[in-house]
Amino acid sequence: MTYWLETYGCQMNKAESGALEILLQQNNIYPASKAIEADMVILNTCSVRKTAENRIWGRIGYYKQEKTKRMFLLILVGCMVQRLKDQLQQRIPEIDIVLGTFQKQELISAIRAIRSKEKNICLTSGNDYQFSKSYNINDFKSFVPIMHGCNNFCSYCIVPYVRGKEVSRPAEEILSEIACLDTSGIKEVTLLGQNVNSYCHIRNGTSMYFPDILSQIADAIRNIQWIRFLTSHPKDFSPELIEHIKMHTQICKHIHLPVQHGSNKILSRMERKYTREKYLTIIEYIKNAISDISITTDILIGFPGEEEKDFQMTCDLLKTIEFNDAFTYYYNPREGTKAFTFEDTVPHSLKIERLNRIIELQQGISHHKRRKRLGKKVTVLVENISKQQSHEVLARTEHNDMVVFPGGRELIGTFVNVELVSLRGSTFKASIS
Ligand code: SF4
């Protein structure tokens, strides 16, 4: 049997898709080269924004149509399933199996049940999250989930409702997966969690926190050279963590720390649990402790109650901090979240106008920061052949900058020392040094 897997959303979904692929292949179900040839189509869904769900409804509609031409299983897993549960099959009975966030491991038994003539399987109850033994399907870099769920309940966010309460993966499980990856040619690992820096694993009465597990991993690896981690929350970003990042050369000097907004009024309505001043203190500590650090963030524009002066405070924050880059988006109400009950006071056109102003501002800052790095000699990990120029390879610095330089497929998965020569948009052009 063959499968076709489409993954939507965050790195955690990508990691879990890796674990699903391992599970399928352990049961002699292999990837099809095209969707139209697959015995089963699996959509690993996302629910973080309405736009994400709309995209998946589009795919469901396409595969519903395809089912009029040939027989195959249509399977949905993940956050959208966890939010909508059996509504999906009520609306589209052509969906054979739906598995919630906590039931992805049931995939094989569900496929067997459908093949023995059971109809429309829907498993979404229970919230006991099981970490998989391994998530890696790539041959030089791997995601390693260490946490799952989130207890923060930011007022606009659906994640705690679809991924549940925070669960920290046992340290020994993490270290054994890292040991396995370290001997299988992996060069870079990314530790994953919706709120990775609130990791806490208690064993024999001893608590292990995020800085501890990070250092244990850094001390344990021999072949893995780069450690990254995602996603952090400012309320748990301690000076101790910053010291651990500084102490270990293997920990990439790139921190992604979502601030979301620059106005305390809006931060409190978002229930982000920190103030603008607290966030600035953390950034100052990071910059003082680690000279050549890259800091990126997330910015959410157009939240209910946002006035021009609040928006200006976000612009001012970007100018003050000078992030290397920022992921920017505008607020859209998510049913099931606290903010969904707030009056959506910012008109859509104004959300777009403010988003474009923020993007333009940040692009200027990012470009200025990148120009300052020209002439630097850096190490990059080659990730792929460049989509634009087939005689070039695409690589990434430890600061998470994208770099292209002349090279062939044989360089993929290797570290190369290059000099940053010029810029092509937001990508550096380099030469091997
Ligand atoms: S920290 Fe807030 S935004 Fe992030 S996943 Fe948790 S609730 Fe959502």
Side-chain angles (χ1 to χ4, degrees), residues 150-154 156-160 194-195 233 260 272:
C150 185
N151 296 350
N152 287 324
F153 290 90
C154 301
Y156 55 85
C157 184
I158 196 74
V159 171
Q194 278 80 24
N195 191 5
H233 193 290
Q260 303 297 5
R272 288 290 288 170

Side-chain angles (χ1 to χ4, degrees), residues 268-284:
S268 127
R269 286 172 69 81
M270 288 176 168
E271 299 185 24
R272 288 290 288 170
K273 302 175 183 61
Y274 54 83
T275 61
R276 170 196 177 92
E277 292 72 25
K278 162 85 187 196
Y279 189 86
L280 283 165
T281 308
I282 298 169
I283 296 296
E284 197 185 340

Side-chain angles (χ1 to χ4, degrees), residues 6 9 33 38-39 61 65 91 145 160 167 199 205-206 277 296 304 309 357 398 415:
E6 295 180 10
S33 53
D39 299 311
Q65 196 50 39
R91 201 165 141 185
V167 185
Y199 177 88
T206 315
E277 292 72 25
T296 56
K309 66 178 185 326
R357 286 158 64 190
E398 74 163 304
F415 287 98

Side-chain angles (χ1 to χ4, degrees), residues 93-162:
E94 288 81 357
I95 302 171
D96 300 287
I97 298 173
V98 293
L99 303 175
T101 316
F102 305 94
Q103 286 80 25
K104 291 181 181 177
Q105 265 90 352
E106 309 299 329
L107 181 60
I108 301 301
S109 57
I111 292 168
R112 290 205 182 107
I114 283 280
R115 287 173 62 76
S116 51
K117 303 291 170 259
E118 229 185 280
K119 276 250 156 288
N120 289 121
I121 291 180
C122 173
L123 301 176
T124 57
S125 55
N127 54 11
D128 176 21
Y129 186 77
Q130 314 270 327
F131 288 96
S132 299
K133 280 207 173 26
S134 176
Y135 297 80
N136 179 52
I137 47 160
N138 182 302
D139 45 19
F140 65 88
K141 62 180 193 170
S142 181
F143 292 126
V144 178
I146 67 167
M147 288 257 336
H148 184 264
C150 185
N151 296 350
N152 287 324
F153 290 90
C154 301
S155 61
Y156 55 85
C157 184
I158 196 74
V159 171
Y161 303 94
V162 290

